[in-house]
């Protein structure tokens, strides 16, 4: 049987285990030109929460009863497609392989990955859509000058840590903002950033000022309204901001409850001639080959460091552990491993 995690209820605020249900259905049979894959690694991403509905997003949610969308690494079990051989490891790059044991694909949403070139989990993190999101922000959205100061918010998270590392490789002075001493230690000791600032610390404002003696030239923003206002006074003239996520608001169903900082941001945009741009990474999937050509060598040569948060226990633990993403989990890319 094919176990599938389906959406059982639309969450209000943070997701919870009861929003999911595990069902069993027959293993699908591949048709002409198709392959049957067995998922062995499952990516857990904030985007999953958006697709559950009642999120602060314009993205259409999936229907109740649908299998949860999710990026996976899988093994080809049967193949009627000459581009894939039984035993190949593949990464599902569009999330259609989903949170289930087995999936059928025509191959258009799969890429073969080499387990000897990089750990398989890297294909869900730094070499997956997570890494692509960071790369697009620093390649297509921003045009930062090497040597300037790049601030990355949620820098201990999956996208943030990739963005920080890409910034380092490109010669920027990278300052990471994260919550808690464990995460800031990770940024300094494991990722080697120039500075790390704890936004939960009582002296956050003082830490930020010390870390930014020359101001901010570029920002890769992952958090949203809860943090960006603290950065605005430090922005240099012609600073650029790429908005890759708004994690602080993702579970809200209404307007942000807090001080209205829009006037300050607009005033800064005018007088500091700021560039602020958001983006949808799905519009850049055609850049995947260029992205891999740029970053895969750095991963292979261990010039680009990353961390993963591997969850053992199989598919059945995902409903229980996914909500931890929204309540202060540890650093790194969250991946569940099939049992």
């Amino acid at each position: 049987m094919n176990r599938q995690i389906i959406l059982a209820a639309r969450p209000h605020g943070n997701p919870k285990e009861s929003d999911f249900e595990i069902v069993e259905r027959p293993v699908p049979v591949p048709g002409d030109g198709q392959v049957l894959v067995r998922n062995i690694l499952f990516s857990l991403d904030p985007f999953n929460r958006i697709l559950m509905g009642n999120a602060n997003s314009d993205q259409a949610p999936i229907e109740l009863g649908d299998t949860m969308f999710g990026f996976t690494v899988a093994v080809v079990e049967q193949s009627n497609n000459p581009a894939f051989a039984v035993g190949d490891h593949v990464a599902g790059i569009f999330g259609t392989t989903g949170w289930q044991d087995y999936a059928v694909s025509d191959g258009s949403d799969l890429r073969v990955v080499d387990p000897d070139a990089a750990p398989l989990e890297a294909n869900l993190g730094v070499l997956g859509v997570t890494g692509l999101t960071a790369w697009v922000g620093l390649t297509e959205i921003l045009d930062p000058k090497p040597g300037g100061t790049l601030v990355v918010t949620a820098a201990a998270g999956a996208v943030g840590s990739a963005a920080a590392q890409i910034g380092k490789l490109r010669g920027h002075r990278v300052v990471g903002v994260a919550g808690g001493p464990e995460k800031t230690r990770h940024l300094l000791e494991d990722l080697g950033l120039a500075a790390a600032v704890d936004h939960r610390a009582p002296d956050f404002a003082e830490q930020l000022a010390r870390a930014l003696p020359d101001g901010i030239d570029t920002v890769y923003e992952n958090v949203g309204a809860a943090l960006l206002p603290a950065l605005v006074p430090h922005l240099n003239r012609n600073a650029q901001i790429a908005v890759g996520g708004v994690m602080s608001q993702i579970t809200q169903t209404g307007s942000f409850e807090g001080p209205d900082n829009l006037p300050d941001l607009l005033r800064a945009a005018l007088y500091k001639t700021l560039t602020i741009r958001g983006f949808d990474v799905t519009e850049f999937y055609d850049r995947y080959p260029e992205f891999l050509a740029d970053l895969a060598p750095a991963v292979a040569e261990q010039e680009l460091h990353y961390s993963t948060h591997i969850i053992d226990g199989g598919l059945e633990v995902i409903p229980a552990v996914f909500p931890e993403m929204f309540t202060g989990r540890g650093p790194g890319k969250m991946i569940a491993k099939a049992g």
Side-chain angles (χ1 to χ4, degrees):
M1 299 298 289
N2 182 29
R3 295 174 306 164
Q4 300 174 317
I5 297 176
I6 65 170
L7 179 63
R10 299 209 185 279
H12 294 276
N14 289 343
K16 54 187 182 298
E17 185 174 359
S18 59
D19 294 328
F20 305 101
E21 182 182 351
I22 298 179
V23 300
E24 291 188 352
R25 291 169 177 153
V27 175
V29 177
D32 291 342
Q34 294 185 322
V35 296
L36 173 70
V37 302
R38 175 173 52 85
N39 291 318
I40 59 174
L41 295 174
F42 303 90
S43 179
L44 279 60
D45 299 286
F47 188 57
N48 293 107
R49 170 63 185 87
I50 291 174
L51 292 179
M52 294 173 73
N54 290 333
N56 197 346
S57 168
D58 294 330
Q59 173 73 43
I62 66 174
E63 297 295 328
L64 292 175
D66 281 357
T67 303
M68 283 298 299
F69 165 102
F71 303 106
T72 67
V73 169
V75 177
V76 176
E77 295 284 302
Q78 299 178 37
S79 178
N80 298 324
N81 185 321
F84 302 91
V86 172
D88 279 349
H89 288 87
V90 293
I93 58 177
F94 299 148
T96 51
T97 43
W99 288 357
Q100 56 185 335
D101 288 325
Y102 296 92
V104 161
S105 168
D106 64 3
S108 62
D109 59 341
L110 303 176
R111 65 179 179 90
V112 177
V113 297
D114 182 358
D116 294 325
L120 287 174
E121 58 265 25
N123 295 286
L124 294 179
V126 69
L127 295 179
V129 174
T130 295
L132 178 67
T133 304
W135 183 86
V136 165
L138 293 174
T139 304
E140 297 295 316
I141 307 305
L142 297 179
D143 183 25
K145 298 177 181 178
T149 296
L150 165 66
V151 171
V152 179
T153 61
V159 173
S161 60
Q165 292 292 286
I166 294 169
K168 275 188 60 183
L169 290 174
R170 295 184 176 177
H172 309 302
R173 179 180 180 270
V174 182
V175 176
V177 180
E182 177 191 359
K183 292 181 179 180
T184 53
R185 181 211 59 78
H186 168 67
L187 297 179
L188 293 172
E189 298 179 9
D190 300 331
L191 301 188
L193 303 192
V197 180
D198 182 357
H199 68 78
R200 294 179 182 169
D203 63 340
F204 168 54
E206 291 78 9
Q207 287 188 31
L208 194 62
R210 290 195 298 270
L212 300 169
D214 299 315
I216 303 172
D217 299 298
T218 48
V219 177
Y220 193 107
E221 169 66 318
N222 292 301
V223 176
L227 187 55
L228 185 60
L231 304 181
V232 169
H234 300 281
L235 293 171
N236 292 331
R237 186 172 179 82
N238 299 320
Q240 304 171 69
I241 303 172
V243 183
V246 286
M247 190 67 175
S248 69
Q249 298 160 261
I250 197 172
T251 63
Q252 293 187 349
T253 56
S255 300
F256 177 72
E257 296 181 2
D260 181 6
N261 294 292
L262 183 59
D264 292 335
L265 180 60
L266 290 177
R267 183 167 56 250
L270 174 63
Y271 294 114
K272 295 186 178 185
T273 60
L274 305 179
T275 298
I276 305 172
R277 184 180 171 192
F279 64 98
D280 180 354
V281 72
T282 64
E283 297 177 359
F284 296 89
Y285 278 165
D286 62 331
R287 303 296 302 279
Y288 228 107
E290 184 179 346
F291 153 69
L292 290 175
D294 188 8
L295 288 196
V299 173
E301 296 167 13
Q302 298 185 344
E303 294 178 350
L304 197 157
H305 302 283
Y306 61 95
S307 64
T308 53
H309 183 172
I310 302 295
I311 308 296
D312 291 315
L315 181 83
E316 60 269 24
V317 305
I318 293 178
V321 301
F322 176 67
E324 295 177 9
M325 178 170 291
F326 304 90
T327 57
R329 66 181 178 87
K333 170 68 182 178
M334 200 172 192
I335 296 172
K337 185 177 181 180

